[in-house]
Amino acid sequence: MSTQPDSVPLRTKLLFIAELAEGAERYDDVIVQIKTIIKKFGPRLTNDERNFLSVAYKNLTNTLRNSWRTVDTVGKLEASRPTVVARKVMLIQKQRVKIEKELSDVCKDIVHLLDSKLLPAVEKGEERVFYSKMKGDYYRYLAEFSRPEDFEHYAKESLDAYRSAYRHALVTLEPIHPTRLGLALNFAVFYHDVKKSPDRACHLAKSAFDDAVLSPQASDPGLAQTIREALQILQLLKDDLIAWSKEIPDDGERYN
């Protein structure tokens, strides 16, 4: 058996385990590995580390949000039946509250990590936009599933984070940059889903769409990968514009 010391750096090992965990869809394990990297090496993450963290939290919350919607739909169906079985409704409500608690815990965990470690250490540019957007996203999820007494607080925190990210993106990132476009898409979703303002959502989405399409970088052959990523987001922006514009009185065709 070899007695040579292991020459693989600890940070590389932790990242490999995070990658392995992501492939196995063990997202809690991914988060543990990235948090260990932050604890041992500081809050400045590499792009790969940052992306693993983002994907892990996104998948955890997506699963919980989908579970909540399923249980909520079943609850409404049961409540609408001619003969309502009170015990069933109570059990459904209990399950929904449990999911809400789990979702709230995950969202608050990443928001705390962002506020206490990641955002204080960022430099200007894409990294700051990325983390501020994440903060806006998870406060948006909290607002979507919160109790009425907490809604305004979470909505305000989400809006403040998105505004901070968007102001910074406008002066540091090109209009075609995927992070800037992804921020515009999610910020528009916030206006539509949380603020119930399809008009403002359409205005923001169309502005981002037009700026990207008219950007000189949109036809730069040296940015092929960036353009491919941007095109995917632009298609989502276009789809949302078409859907949301139909909700605006007398303006249903404006964004078609």
Side-chain angles (χ1 to χ4, degrees):
M1 186 171 65
S2 173
T3 58
Q4 291 183 346
D6 191 344
S7 60
V8 179
L10 176 60
R11 188 164 188 158
T12 302
K13 290 181 182 178
L14 293 169
L15 182 61
F16 174 74
I17 296 171
E19 183 177 6
L20 188 64
E22 189 207 19
E25 298 184 0
R26 293 179 60 85
Y27 300 111
D28 286 316
D29 290 345
V30 176
I31 292 169
V32 168
Q33 299 309 310
I34 302 303
K35 283 185 174 181
T36 303
I37 289 174
I38 293 171
K39 181 179 179 180
K40 291 184 176 295
F41 301 99
R44 294 301 306 280
L45 298 178
T46 66
N47 283 345
D48 285 342
E49 293 163 355
R50 187 186 70 181
N51 288 334
F52 279 128
L53 185 72
S54 175
V55 168
Y57 277 107
K58 183 69 172 176
N59 278 281
L60 285 178
T61 51
N62 276 351
T63 298
L64 290 167
R65 292 167 78 205
N66 289 335
S67 297
W68 188 94
R69 292 186 183 106
T70 298
V71 171
D72 186 58
T73 299
V74 173
K76 290 176 180 176
L77 181 63
E78 288 294 331
S80 68
R81 295 183 185 280
T83 304
V84 178
V85 180
R87 184 172 177 275
K88 279 188 175 182
V89 174
M90 182 184 68
L91 290 172
I92 291 168
Q93 174 65 15
K94 184 177 179 180
Q95 186 66 17
R96 185 168 56 189
V97 169
K98 179 183 177 182
I99 296 169
E100 287 172 358
K101 174 65 166 56
E102 291 178 15
L103 177 58
S104 176
D105 288 347
V106 173
C107 290
K108 289 179 180 178
D109 184 59
I110 179 56
V111 166
H112 175 72
L113 185 63
L114 288 163
D115 280 340
S116 64
K117 302 289 186 181
L118 300 176
L119 277 168
V122 299
E123 296 180 352
K124 293 181 179 180
E126 192 267 347
E127 187 181 29
R128 180 175 293 280
V129 175
F130 185 93
Y131 286 139
S132 296
K133 170 188 169 295
M134 281 185 71
K135 183 176 177 179
D137 289 341
Y138 289 97
Y139 269 121
R140 171 163 60 88
Y141 302 155
L142 284 167
E144 288 173 350
F145 298 96
S146 68
R147 298 180 183 278
E149 60 268 24
D150 297 321
F151 174 81
E152 289 299 332
H153 168 69
Y154 292 141
K156 181 182 183 303
E157 291 289 346
S158 181
L159 179 59
D160 289 346
Y162 279 135
R163 279 178 171 168
S164 175
Y166 205 64
R167 282 195 298 264
H168 196 67
L170 290 176
V171 297
T172 62
L173 301 180
E174 297 293 340
I176 200 71
H177 197 292
T179 299
R180 175 169 162 174
L181 284 173
L183 167 62
L185 175 65
N186 288 16
F187 197 0
V189 169
F190 167 83
Y191 276 123
H192 180 269
D193 291 358
V194 177
K195 289 295 188 180
K196 309 300 181 186
S197 177
D199 192 27
R200 296 177 77 177
C202 284
H203 177 77
L204 195 157
K206 187 174 188 304
S207 176
F209 186 95
D210 290 345
D211 287 347
V213 170
L214 296 174
S215 171
Q217 287 76 26
S219 57
D220 187 341
L223 299 174
Q225 178 60 35
T226 295
I227 293 170
R228 279 195 294 270
E229 294 177 20
L231 286 174
Q232 295 176 357
I233 304 172
L234 286 170
Q235 184 59 56
L236 294 174
L237 281 168
K238 182 179 179 181
D239 292 344
D240 283 343
L241 276 168
I242 292 172
W244 295 340
S245 66
K246 295 175 182 177
E247 302 173 21
I248 303 172
D250 302 321
D251 261 348
E253 302 300 319
R254 183 169 58 180
Y255 299 107
N256 288 349

